Amino acid sequence: MNKCLFCMIRDGEIPSDKVYEDEHVIAFRDIDPQAPVHVLIVPKEHYADITECPNETAGYMLDAARRLAVENGLTEKGFRLVMNTGEEGGQSVKHLHMHLLGGRQMTWPAG
Ligand code: AMP
């Protein structure tokens, strides 16, 4: 079976600008940043999207997101966490991931 893009990044087969790693997740800078801080938080285990993953995994992702928000100085002014899911949700990479966006004023609706 072919590995997906984020599995290849996880395994170091494709380079990434990695900013965090623990037993459960990795995080790296988005290649096409939509904000001054744009980090992807990715579970090491492959799940297609949030509908497939155990609650425990979602918790590990949130823990990493909070840590990265603090490390990047985003907690005072705020930040956004996004999980695009499926076709209408605008998901392009079918390996569960969370976007951490910060460092600029966000707008709503997200578009
Ligand atoms: P989504 O559209 O929610 O599935 O998000 C996928 C994200 O992955 C997009 O924001 C892309 O810019 C990002 N992306 C695609 N390829 C890479 C890569 N090689 N390294 C880092 N980010 C990537």
Side-chain angles (χ1 to χ4, degrees):
M1 207 169 78
N2 284 344
K3 265 192 203 175
C4 84
L5 174 65
F6 287 174
C7 283
M8 292 177 82
I9 288 178
R10 173 200 64 204
D11 293 344
E13 293 163 11
I14 290 178
S16 69
D17 187 357
K18 190 157 58 178
V19 292
Y20 179 76
E21 179 166 15
D22 65 25
E23 194 186 339
H24 305 286
V25 307
I26 55 167
F28 47 88
R29 294 196 189 282
D30 196 292
I31 205 166
D32 181 21
Q34 302 300 310
V37 176
H38 188 173
V39 172
L40 300 175
I41 296 133
V42 179
K44 287 186 169 176
E45 189 83 23
H46 181 102
Y47 302 104
D49 62 42
I50 190 63
T51 68
E52 289 193 353
C53 92
N55 286 352
E56 219 177 29
T57 301
Y60 297 138
M61 294 172 74
L62 281 170
D63 272 350
R66 280 194 290 247
R67 181 191 297 252
L68 285 159
V70 170
E71 276 176 13
N72 283 278
L74 300 178
T75 51
E76 191 181 325
K77 288 195 164 177
F79 55 90
R80 183 169 288 175
L81 297 175
V82 176
M83 281 183 180
N84 296 326
T85 305
E87 192 183 336
E88 289 199 355
Q91 183 179 7
S92 60
V93 177
K94 311 296 188 218
H95 181 137
L96 174 62
H97 53 282
M98 180 185 282
H99 298 255
L100 167 64
L101 296 144
R104 69 166 170 83
Q105 180 62 54
M106 300 294 160
T107 57
W108 192 261

